[in-house]
Amino acid sequence: MDVGFLGLRIMGKAMALNLLRSGFRVTVWNRTLSKCQGLVELGASMGETPAAVVSKSKYTIAMLADPIAALSVVFEKGGVLEQICEGKGYIDMSTVDADTSLKINEAITNKGGKFLEAPVSGSKKPAEDGQLIILAAGEKELYDAAIPAFDVLGKKSFFLGSVGNGANMKLVVNMVMGSMMNALSEGLSLAGSSGLSQQTFLDILDLGAIANPMFKLKGPAMIQSSYPPAFPLKHQQKDMRLALALGDENAVSMPVAAAANEAFKKARSLGLGDLDFSAVHEIVKVAGSSGEAK
Amino acid sequence: MDVGFLGLRIMGKAMALNLLRSGFRVTVWNRTLSKCQGLVELGASMGETPAAVVSKSKYTIAMLADPIAALSVVFEKGGVLEQICEGKGYIDMSTVDADTSLKINEAITNKGGKFLEAPVSGSKKPAEDGQLIILAAGEKELYDAAIPAFDVLGKKSFFLGSVGNGANMKLVVNMVMGSMMNALSEGLSLAGSSGLSQQTFLDILDLGAIANPMFKLKGPAMIQSSYPPAFPLKHQQKDMRLALALGDENAVSMPVAAAANEAFKKARSLGLGDLDFSAVHEIVKVAGSSGEAK
Amino acid sequence: MDVGFLGLRIMGKAMALNLLRSGFRVTVWNRTLSKCQGLVELGASMGETPAAVVSKSKYTIAMLADPIAALSVVFEKGGVLEQICEGKGYIDMSTVDADTSLKINEAITNKGGKFLEAPVSGSKKPAEDGQLIILAAGEKELYDAAIPAFDVLGKKSFFLGSVGNGANMKLVVNMVMGSMMNALSEGLSLAGSSGLSQQTFLDILDLGAIANPMFKLKGPAMIQSSYPPAFPLKHQQKDMRLALALGDENAVSMPVAAAANEAFKKARSLGLGDLDFSAVHEIVKVAGSSGEAK
Amino acid sequence: MDVGFLGLRIMGKAMALNLLRSGFRVTVWNRTLSKCQGLVELGASMGETPAAVVSKSKYTIAMLADPIAALSVVFEKGGVLEQICEGKGYIDMSTVDADTSLKINEAITNKGGKFLEAPVSGSKKPAEDGQLIILAAGEKELYDAAIPAFDVLGKKSFFLGSVGNGANMKLVVNMVMGSMMNALSEGLSLAGSSGLSQQTFLDILDLGAIANPMFKLKGPAMIQSSYPPAFPLKHQQKDMRLALALGDENAVSMPVAAAANEAFKKARSLGLGDLDFSAVHEIVKVAGSSGEAK
């Protein structure tokens, strides 16, 4: 099966490599073309432009940095639009907002092409292991055709209906994640200030009904005030803002998410936006022991 | 090894049975003595009063309904205090507040006895399976002596330091749980109102970094508005109130827990206090489709 | 002094009348031209279109229903743009968002005209009494020229700097107002549920450091569950959303406003959006006396 | 009319002086007796103990620092209880919690005396000017008898029913005040970060429907980061905690007050508890300009 692949940053490179290893014939492109070299050595073809990739491939997958990159690759000179046509499909797995997806969808379908948004849940490690969770929405026929590729890239894929639903589902999941991160941070802070061992608190959480991989991964680092950015706080806060805006459209009252969002904003205001989103702990945790007037 | 056991309601009965089956010689007591019958048939002895049990046992474990029952069993006529003395230990595994534990601790130690509070995390099923999580605090020597019993009753026990720490640790865990329940409820509400499948949302959560047994268990029931009380909402709200009060003592600001607490209070005000704590979803979820003025 | 006036709904009509009575020569226009009749009888001229009004007037004031109307009057056929030119000024006193103001500003100034946004604080009665508060921003020269008119229309006018600042200042004021309305509603609810007289509570508030006209006006009506729409709840909630979005841009954490916003959203979700914003009390106040499980 | 007066700190001294000037025969006591000197020179009598004052006076008023002082003066050796009896009344105008009032009430009435709690709203200046607001609750007959004194001390007195209602009414008022202080602080922060003049924002607030003396007094000081303690933040936070606890008893959900309380707690945790409660602005306002990652 022939597939194009646009974007070879950390995630994209791992994904394209997995497709190659599973027997797909892959034509790759990256804005810095030299990044294609490693994959070419392993058997991939290279396209000079996104359009060149699309012309050679029945289906083209994109994994780009952000909405601006996602739009450029489609609309710029040498972009996807120049070659997309009936019989061809375009699958954007980048994390973008619903509006961006809808714009790309309109342009692609106007040319007769099929479009699928398919953002993923999971970062570097799951991408390498083919263990992503794929949230696809758009053209069902294209989704069905892409299943062999999705089976390689992810442990599970979902078809969520019309374009925009993939982006929105990701927002809802990230909103819950952001509230939970604050819940953990408050728990750690309360445990510490009450004279309980924070590590023991984490150990107990990990044995009970609310045990989850995020607490296990982030908790010990938070005790150490260590926040290497896996998911930057400013992106988490942006997702919470967008989720709250989505809720506003339908008058969904979400006071816990709203409180969590304000905590992330406070963290941003203190210059923590580029750290991991667990750095919200810096504004939740109790300041040093001195000076407290009970 | 000889051990006394006070309180044979659902949890206590299962726990005493496990001890018996593991070779402990168990002397049981229950306020309604007839409830001892089943265990006696399986080899347990029976005491007529808590004092009678204590007189026969080096260590006595209690598993009682609430702080009032926990205090009665110790202080009333025929209570634990009448026979506790140097060389004997008393282990209260009931869920009570720190103040109650401290009162019992003072009375027991004044008589020369050793005391341990040891509330558990887990309900009926883990009690039956010997899979409780035991949060012990008080006399370390007694904790060490009780390990053989704890190994039968739980999958893991923790020694948390001085009396009160067991109760407080439970509050902190339950506070995080309450915030998470609200986070889930808000996510379900937003998913539903945004035209996404709530079940698919749960499926996606269950594959990712925040997957946890509580979401898996409660989520589908919440979609069905089904809230059979495993942990009553009024108890969850009480624990959040106590956790916030604990935080207040040390000026720990916990806005997410505070917002979650207000949601539980709203649910209580609507008469949902006796349902499961997941019934907070009734006040979070969006009302029927009609009448919304955007 | 010659002045044009566009829009003769309740507010606009009262304002144009005040100008007329103070000796201004006023040329009026309204989409339903028949509404001009009353003012014409009192000495006003009439223009057939906004453009016709502008052609006759050195300064034209607009008081329109919403952003859509504000844009139409400028950009449509026969609109302000057709006649605005160097030497003429356009003052939009409608309540619109900063983006709408910026669009109108750009179009007017491209034609050589001067622009001022000048939203007001105050509704029907202050408009009739010439007691509005005017929040002007844009061309300072035009502001200075408009002072004689502003002195007639309002008790006080402010020049706030560049276009957009008038709209934003209104958002900030309304945000504080929305939080205060929730504070009042919570206070009323707590007083009532604690067995205190709600009216006495209002009387006490009115004598102290936080006494304010809004509490005095809305409080007694809230006790009666009476919410005739002076400022519709859906508009208040929209302003809070926009204020929070404004804060988001600069990472201003505002947890109290966020909590108030969620309460307004809850009220909207229950179909209360067209009532007065004090109707948030319906979701704050405690439900009937029955069924509470303490 | 004869009246006793216990407690001559700032407030009490001003109040006793007003009574003296209005023709009351006043017998005073203060723990540091030398503080009685000034009033004695102006015509007051002095009692050596609270009991001595009560023995000479039909009605005794107390104005003490806190619940501990209020209890001491009644229960200690030489305290009020030794002389209170049928035909005598005791009016405690100190700010204490409902529990303290109830304890004093029980002791006084057991001796046949009449009791009134009568906390006040207002601080030094209103005390000097006889402009306090008096929130009385307890024995109605005693309230009626005390009206001549209340007319001297305050601009308005309220009879609120049974003992405890005075304390609770004060909590509700202070809760609303605390939420409003946060609303103001957030508004100031948003105005500043949006490039608006904070002083102009205050000027506009002061002309509108939410104008109130507190905003007028505290707003300009907050811009200057000046927080001389009129009402210490730790006391405001304590009142909010108690008000929320009062609400908890009846399941009153108050998310805005809860969010405000968490902000005050954050301020306390940073050592601001002894400053004025407006110092919550220190944790709301946006940190310096550097380092923000938008």
Side-chain angles (χ1 to χ4, degrees):
Chain A
M1 189 172 170
D2 285 289
V3 63
F5 204 100
L6 311 178
L8 300 176
R9 289 152 55 93
I10 292 172
M11 297 278 291
K13 189 173 181 179
M15 293 160 74
L17 186 61
N18 280 338
L19 290 169
L20 207 56
R21 282 178 176 156
S22 300
F24 286 79
R25 283 184 303 277
V26 186
T27 305
V28 298
W29 170 89
N30 192 69
R31 194 163 296 276
T32 309
L33 281 175
S34 59
K35 286 210 181 162
C36 299
Q37 201 50 42
L39 289 161
V40 168
E41 282 166 14
L42 293 165
S45 307
M46 189 177 90
E48 297 280 322
T49 61
V53 171
V54 171
S55 75
K56 286 204 226 168
S57 313
K58 191 164 170 60
Y59 306 117
T60 300
I61 295 171
M63 189 65 182
L64 301 155
D66 53 34
I68 291 169
L71 289 167
S72 293
V73 152
V74 172
F75 290 96
E76 71 188 355
K77 190 166 147 51
V80 170
L81 275 193
E82 294 184 3
Q83 289 292 335
I84 198 83
C85 59
E86 208 169 326
K88 286 182 185 290
Y90 184 64
I91 301 167
D92 192 348
M93 302 186 75
S94 320
T95 291
V96 300
D97 55 290
D99 280 354
T100 299
S101 272
L102 288 165
K103 249 182 239 170
I104 295 175
N105 177 54
E106 193 188 359
I108 299 283
T109 52
N110 279 346
K111 293 275 188 174
K114 293 193 193 315
F115 178 71
L116 205 61
E117 66 170 348
V120 301
S121 178
S123 52
K124 191 188 170 196
K125 188 71 167 50
E128 290 171 350
D129 298 348
Q131 294 291 306
L132 296 166
I133 301 163
I134 297 166
L135 311 178
E139 179 65 61
K140 179 66 160 61
E141 218 176 289
L142 179 53
Y143 173 75
D144 291 336
I147 284 179
F150 289 164
D151 283 351
V152 168
L153 299 172
K155 66 177 165 185
K156 180 89 179 170
S157 72
F158 294 87
F159 182 74
L160 303 172
S162 53
V163 172
N165 283 358
N168 285 344
M169 182 63 89
K170 239 198 121 167
L171 287 182
V172 183
V173 170
N174 281 1
M175 182 186 81
V176 175
M177 185 170 73
S179 294
M180 277 175 61
M181 177 52 81
N182 274 271
L184 173 62
S185 176
E186 293 183 357
L188 277 171
S189 301
L190 181 55
S193 75
S194 305
L196 303 170
S197 154
Q198 292 182 314
Q199 185 56 54
T200 302
F201 166 66
L202 291 177
D203 292 343
I204 291 168
L205 282 184
D206 198 45
L207 288 163
I210 56 176
N212 66 84
M214 182 177 82
F215 283 9
K216 200 179 177 68
L217 179 68
K218 305 283 186 185
M222 290 159 78
I223 296 177
Q224 306 299 327
S225 301
S226 164
Y227 314 108
F231 184 38
L233 189 142
K234 64 186 176 187
H235 292 166
Q236 171 65 51
Q237 196 266 316
K238 185 194 65 182
D239 281 0
M240 295 211 78
R241 171 177 14 117
L242 293 174
L244 285 161
L246 184 62
D248 199 286
E249 290 173 26
N250 294 301
V252 188
S253 178
M254 303 186 290
V256 166
N261 185 39
E262 298 307 315
F264 283 120
K265 276 160 69 177
K266 191 73 188 172
R268 247 183 71 205
S269 80
L270 296 174
L272 308 174
D274 290 321
L275 296 182
D276 189 66
F277 75 117
S278 52
V280 74
H281 191 48
E282 285 299 300
I283 67 119
V284 173
K285 72 182 183 186
V286 179
S289 50
S290 67
E292 212 273 289
K294 282 191 195 178
Chain B
M1 187 174 169
D2 284 288
V3 65
F5 205 102
L6 310 177
L8 299 175
R9 289 152 55 93
I10 293 173
M11 298 278 290
K13 191 174 182 180
M15 291 160 74
L17 187 60
N18 279 338
L19 290 169
L20 207 54
R21 282 178 177 157
S22 301
F24 285 79
R25 284 184 303 277
V26 187
T27 305
V28 298
W29 170 88
N30 191 68
R31 192 161 298 277
T32 309
L33 281 175
S34 60
K35 286 213 181 160
C36 298
Q37 200 51 42
L39 287 161
V40 169
E41 283 167 14
L42 293 166
S45 309
M46 189 174 91
E48 297 282 324
T49 60
V53 171
V54 170
S55 76
K56 285 204 229 169
S57 313
K58 189 162 172 59
Y59 306 117
T60 301
I61 295 171
M63 188 67 182
L64 301 154
D66 52 34
I68 292 169
L71 290 166
S72 294
V73 153
V74 172
F75 290 96
E76 73 188 355
K77 189 167 146 51
V80 170
L81 274 194
E82 294 183 3
Q83 290 293 334
I84 198 80
C85 59
E86 207 167 329
K88 287 183 185 285
Y90 183 62
I91 302 166
D92 192 347
M93 301 185 75
S94 321
T95 291
V96 302
D97 55 288
D99 280 354
T100 299
S101 273
L102 288 165
K103 248 181 239 168
I104 295 174
N105 177 54
E106 193 188 358
I108 298 283
T109 53
N110 279 346
K111 292 275 187 174
K114 293 193 191 315
F115 177 70
L116 204 62
E117 67 171 344
V120 301
S121 178
S123 53
K124 191 188 170 196
K125 188 71 167 48
E128 290 171 350
D129 298 347
Q131 293 292 305
L132 296 166
I133 300 163
I134 298 166
L135 310 179
E139 180 63 63
K140 180 66 161 61
E141 215 176 295
L142 178 53
Y143 172 75
D144 291 336
I147 284 180
F150 288 165
D151 284 350
V152 167
L153 299 172
K155 65 176 163 185
K156 180 90 180 169
S157 71
F158 295 87
F159 181 73
L160 303 172
S162 53
V163 172
N165 282 359
N168 285 344
M169 183 63 89
K170 239 198 125 168
L171 286 183
V172 183
V173 170
N174 281 0
M175 182 186 79
V176 175
M177 185 169 73
S179 294
M180 277 177 61
M181 177 54 81
N182 274 270
L184 174 62
S185 177
E186 292 183 359
L188 277 171
S189 302
L190 181 55
S193 77
S194 305
L196 302 170
S197 155
Q198 291 181 314
Q199 185 55 55
T200 302
F201 167 66
L202 291 177
D203 292 345
I204 291 167
L205 282 184
D206 197 45
L207 288 163
I210 55 176
N212 65 85
M214 182 178 81
F215 283 9
K216 200 179 177 69
L217 179 68
K218 305 284 186 184
M222 289 159 80
I223 296 177
Q224 307 298 326
S225 301
S226 166
Y227 314 107
F231 185 39
L233 189 142
K234 64 185 177 189
H235 292 167
Q236 170 66 52
Q237 196 265 317
K238 186 194 64 183
D239 281 1
M240 294 210 79
R241 173 178 12 117
L242 293 173
L244 285 161
L246 183 62
D248 199 286
E249 289 173 27
N250 293 301
V252 189
S253 179
M254 302 186 290
V256 165
N261 185 38
E262 297 306 314
F264 283 121
K265 275 160 71 177
K266 191 74 189 173
R268 249 183 70 205
S269 80
L270 296 173
L272 308 174
D274 290 322
L275 297 181
D276 189 65
F277 77 118
S278 53
V280 73
H281 191 47
E282 285 300 299
I283 66 117
V284 173
K285 72 182 182 186
V286 178
S289 51
S290 67
E292 211 272 289
K294 281 189 197 179
Chain C
M1 189 173 168
D2 285 289
V3 64
F5 205 101
L6 309 179
L8 300 176
R9 290 153 54 94
I10 293 173
M11 298 278 290
K13 192 175 180 177
M15 292 159 73
L17 187 59
N18 280 339
L19 289 170
L20 208 54
R21 284 179 176 156
S22 300
F24 285 79
R25 285 185 302 277
V26 187
T27 304
V28 299
W29 169 88
N30 192 69
R31 193 163 295 280
T32 309
L33 281 176
S34 58
K35 286 210 180 162
C36 299
Q37 200 51 43
L39 288 162
V40 168
E41 283 167 14
L42 293 167
S45 308
M46 188 176 90
E48 297 281 323
T49 60
V53 171
V54 171
S55 75
K56 287 204 227 169
S57 314
K58 192 164 169 61
Y59 306 118
T60 300
I61 295 171
M63 189 65 182
L64 302 156
D66 53 33
I68 291 170
L71 290 167
S72 293
V73 153
V74 171
F75 290 96
E76 72 187 356
K77 193 171 143 45
V80 169
L81 274 195
E82 293 183 4
Q83 290 292 336
I84 198 84
C85 60
E86 208 168 326
K88 287 182 185 288
Y90 183 64
I91 301 166
D92 192 348
M93 301 186 74
S94 320
T95 291
V96 303
D97 55 288
D99 280 354
T100 299
S101 273
L102 288 166
K103 250 182 238 169
I104 295 174
N105 178 54
E106 193 188 357
I108 298 284
T109 51
N110 279 346
K111 293 275 188 176
K114 293 195 191 313
F115 178 72
L116 204 61
E117 66 170 347
V120 301
S121 179
S123 52
K124 192 189 169 195
K125 188 72 168 48
E128 288 171 352
D129 299 347
Q131 293 292 306
L132 296 166
I133 299 161
I134 298 168
L135 311 179
E139 180 63 60
K140 179 65 162 57
E141 216 176 293
L142 178 53
Y143 172 75
D144 291 336
I147 283 179
F150 288 165
D151 283 350
V152 167
L153 298 172
K155 66 176 164 186
K156 180 89 179 170
S157 71
F158 294 87
F159 181 73
L160 303 171
S162 53
V163 173
N165 282 359
N168 284 344
M169 183 63 88
K170 238 196 123 167
L171 286 183
V172 183
V173 170
N174 282 0
M175 183 187 80
V176 176
M177 184 170 73
S179 293
M180 277 176 61
M181 176 54 80
N182 274 270
L184 174 62
S185 176
E186 292 182 0
L188 278 170
S189 302
L190 181 55
S193 76
S194 304
L196 303 169
S197 156
Q198 291 181 314
Q199 185 56 54
T200 302
F201 167 65
L202 292 177
D203 292 344
I204 291 167
L205 282 185
D206 198 44
L207 288 164
I210 56 175
N212 65 86
M214 182 177 83
F215 283 9
K216 200 178 177 71
L217 178 69
K218 305 285 186 184
M222 290 159 79
I223 296 177
Q224 307 298 326
S225 301
S226 166
Y227 314 107
F231 184 39
L233 189 142
K234 64 185 175 188
H235 292 166
Q236 170 65 52
Q237 195 265 316
K238 185 194 65 182
D239 281 0
M240 295 211 77
R241 173 178 10 117
L242 292 174
L244 285 160
L246 183 63
D248 199 286
E249 289 172 26
N250 293 303
V252 189
S253 179
M254 303 185 290
V256 166
N261 184 38
E262 297 307 315
F264 283 121
K265 276 160 70 176
K266 192 73 187 174
R268 247 182 73 203
S269 81
L270 296 174
L272 308 174
D274 290 321
L275 297 181
D276 189 66
F277 77 116
S278 52
V280 72
H281 191 49
E282 286 299 299
I283 66 119
V284 173
K285 73 184 183 186
V286 178
S289 51
S290 67
E292 212 274 291
K294 284 187 197 181
Chain D
M1 189 174 168
D2 285 290
V3 63
F5 204 101
L6 310 178
L8 300 176
R9 289 151 55 92
I10 293 173
M11 297 278 292
K13 190 174 183 179
M15 292 160 73
L17 186 60
N18 280 338
L19 289 169
L20 207 55
R21 284 179 177 157
S22 301
F24 285 79
R25 284 185 301 279
V26 187
T27 305
V28 298
W29 170 88
N30 191 69
R31 193 162 297 280
T32 309
L33 281 175
S34 59
K35 286 210 180 163
C36 298
Q37 200 50 42
L39 288 160
V40 168
E41 284 165 13
L42 293 166
S45 308
M46 190 176 89
E48 296 281 324
T49 60
V53 173
V54 171
S55 75
K56 288 204 224 165
S57 314
K58 192 164 169 61
Y59 306 116
T60 301
I61 295 172
M63 188 65 181
L64 302 155
D66 53 35
I68 290 169
L71 290 166
S72 293
V73 154
V74 172
F75 290 97
E76 71 187 357
K77 190 166 147 51
V80 171
L81 273 194
E82 293 183 3
Q83 290 292 335
I84 197 83
C85 59
E86 208 168 329
K88 287 183 184 287
Y90 184 63
I91 302 168
D92 192 347
M93 301 185 74
S94 321
T95 291
V96 302
D97 56 289
D99 280 354
T100 299
S101 272
L102 288 165
K103 248 181 241 168
I104 295 174
N105 178 54
E106 194 188 358
I108 299 284
T109 53
N110 279 347
K111 293 275 189 175
K114 293 194 193 313
F115 178 71
L116 204 62
E117 66 170 346
V120 302
S121 179
S123 52
K124 191 189 172 197
K125 188 71 170 47
E128 289 170 352
D129 298 346
Q131 294 292 307
L132 296 166
I133 300 163
I134 297 167
L135 310 179
E139 179 64 62
K140 179 67 162 64
E141 217 176 292
L142 179 53
Y143 173 75
D144 291 336
I147 283 179
F150 288 165
D151 283 349
V152 167
L153 299 172
K155 65 176 166 185
K156 180 89 180 170
S157 73
F158 295 88
F159 182 73
L160 302 171
S162 52
V163 172
N165 283 359
N168 285 344
M169 182 63 89
K170 239 198 123 169
L171 286 183
V172 183
V173 170
N174 282 0
M175 182 186 80
V176 175
M177 185 170 72
S179 293
M180 277 176 61
M181 177 52 81
N182 274 271
L184 174 62
S185 176
E186 293 183 358
L188 278 171
S189 302
L190 181 55
S193 75
S194 305
L196 302 169
S197 154
Q198 291 181 315
Q199 185 55 55
T200 302
F201 167 66
L202 291 177
D203 293 343
I204 291 168
L205 282 185
D206 198 44
L207 289 164
I210 55 176
N212 66 84
M214 181 177 81
F215 284 9
K216 200 178 177 68
L217 179 67
K218 304 284 187 183
M222 290 159 79
I223 295 178
Q224 306 298 328
S225 300
S226 165
Y227 314 107
F231 184 39
L233 189 142
K234 65 185 175 188
H235 292 167
Q236 171 65 52
Q237 195 266 316
K238 185 194 65 183
D239 281 1
M240 295 211 78
R241 170 176 16 115
L242 293 173
L244 285 161
L246 183 62
D248 199 286
E249 289 173 25
N250 293 301
V252 189
S253 179
M254 303 186 290
V256 166
N261 184 38
E262 297 306 315
F264 284 120
K265 277 160 70 177
K266 191 73 189 173
R268 247 183 72 205
S269 80
L270 296 174
L272 307 174
D274 289 322
L275 297 182
D276 189 65
F277 76 119
S278 52
V280 72
H281 191 48
E282 286 299 299
I283 67 117
V284 173
K285 73 181 183 188
V286 178
S289 50
S290 67
E292 212 270 289
K294 283 190 192 174

